[in-house]
Amino acid sequence: MRRLHDNLILTSVESMWYFIPYFESHGLQWRGVAEEFDLPTDKPNAEAWIPVTSYCLFLNKMSAFCDIEMPLVVGKTVGKSVVEGRWGVIAKEQSFKEVLQSLMTNEHRWSRQNNYWLEQISGAWCWCHRGALKPSYPGSQVNEWFRIALLLQICRQWLGEDWVPSRLNVLTEEHQGKKYGDILLPDINIRYGQPFMSMELTGVDALEPMTNRSLKSRDISEVRLLAESYCHLPHFTLDWLAALFSVTSKTLYRYFKDHDTSFKKIKKSAVLERSEQLLRDTDEPVSNIAYQMGYEDVSNFNRAIKAMRGSTPAQLRLAFREGASG
């Protein structure tokens, strides 16, 4: 098996095991498929990690042997287990606001990237997510609709068993996701092929942005780390970051000025550092890295990196490898 830490885009091996009971209850021989993608066939330590790419390829191949609703059934089942206290992430006596905060705070236990956030869109609070893989990557649609079913199940525990969002935006293209949307949420407006997933939290008030600490209490190094987590989002702007801290854009602008920097510098540094890390430590194609960094056009990504480093992403990768072997 390949060394799992060689790929930075990782998910917990627990994610794979969400699906195994379904496969086994339907008499599906999943171990041979797992071996095909260098995935474990015996449940390892819960702290183990596997490449997201291999995980999605595994789901994609297994889904061909399953009923259409497979990811929805698995998502609902896992959602129930989370509500019942599995992993100790949430408890039934918590408020919905506390549940959302806990899920986002603990997200790092299942993924190497913090991709969940709360945001007000057109005046309504939305639970948002964006994965690291392109929506067109095989198996991504299975993973996304599993996640949506899981989140929906959790919401219904606090908002009512018949609760549905009034709007849902998904990354999946319509030809990939409509079959799932028609089963799970047949009567709501679903927009396919969006930059990120957003589930409108209909009827929910008194929420807050994801960040639960004031801007004043944060050292600039913490803000830089936050930027590294979110710099890849297509809408990562000064206004968006200010909203996370519940401050105005002018306040955030002054904060950066007081620390002798700017939002533009913070973002450029975060994009460059994360891009270089992916170029150095993974074999991901440049086009995939461009997508992960929020660029739909790889040419724009190439130009941006060259403007910052004086070399294209391909040239940087070559220099990293020559340096490692020298």
Side-chain angles (χ1 to χ4, degrees), residues 200-218:
E200 185 173 309
L201 299 174
T202 312
V204 178
D205 298 315
L207 294 181
E208 298 175 353
M210 191 205 72
T211 306
N212 61 356
R213 288 175 51 209
S214 69
L215 181 62
K216 289 182 179 179
S217 70
R218 289 181 179 268

Side-chain angles (χ1 to χ4, degrees), residues 110-306:
W110 296 280
S111 172
R112 289 301 192 194
Q113 298 185 56
N114 189 343
N115 291 319
Y116 289 93
W117 71 96
L118 282 175
E119 181 177 356
Q120 278 193 302
I121 302 176
S122 301
W125 282 105
C126 295
W127 198 354
C128 305
H129 174 270
R130 187 176 189 269
L133 297 183
K134 291 182 179 180
S136 58
Y137 194 86
S140 290
Q141 76 280 7
V142 178
N143 195 27
E144 178 171 40
W145 283 94
F146 154 77
R147 184 182 301 111
I148 292 169
L150 187 158
L151 299 182
L152 182 63
Q153 183 62 37
I154 292 174
C155 287
R156 285 176 171 171
Q157 174 66 32
W158 276 266
L159 306 179
E161 61 181 20
D162 296 323
W163 179 87
V164 295
S166 59
R167 288 183 298 177
L168 177 68
N169 290 351
V170 298
L171 288 94
T172 315
E173 295 293 342
E174 186 169 2
H175 71 276
Q176 296 175 305
K178 192 175 187 301
K179 60 186 179 183
Y180 302 122
D182 288 348
I183 296 172
L184 185 64
L185 295 165
D187 300 320
I188 75 162
N189 176 27
I190 300 178
R191 297 176 61 196
Y192 296 90
Q194 299 304 300
F196 57 94
M197 186 281 288
S198 63
M199 178 184 292
E200 185 173 309
L201 299 174
T202 312
V204 178
D205 298 315
L207 294 181
E208 298 175 353
M210 191 205 72
T211 306
N212 61 356
R213 288 175 51 209
S214 69
L215 181 62
K216 289 182 179 179
S217 70
R218 289 181 179 268
D219 183 80
I220 189 66
S221 62
E222 293 184 80
V223 179
R224 293 183 192 277
L225 288 174
L226 189 68
E228 288 177 19
S229 294
Y230 291 102
C231 65
H232 67 293
L233 296 174
H235 58 290
F236 182 71
T237 63
L238 180 69
D239 291 342
W240 187 87
L241 188 59
L244 280 182
F245 293 111
S246 297
V247 299
T248 66
S249 299
K250 287 184 178 179
T251 298
L252 185 57
Y253 172 83
R254 289 195 297 270
Y255 174 86
F256 285 139
K257 188 174 182 180
D258 290 343
H259 288 83
D260 196 28
T261 187
S262 67
F263 173 79
K264 186 176 181 180
K265 290 179 180 178
I266 292 281
K267 181 175 181 178
K268 284 178 66 175
S269 176
V271 168
L272 181 60
E273 183 167 341
R274 188 163 177 173
S275 298
E276 288 188 333
Q277 187 180 37
L278 290 168
L279 290 166
R280 180 180 61 247
D281 298 333
T282 79
D283 293 322
E284 285 289 308
V286 172
S287 59
N288 286 358
I289 294 175
Y291 172 78
Q292 292 168 38
M293 299 312 302
Y295 289 84
E296 295 293 339
D297 187 336
V298 69
S299 298
N300 290 338
F301 176 68
N302 287 336
R303 283 193 290 270
I305 296 300
K306 187 170 183 178

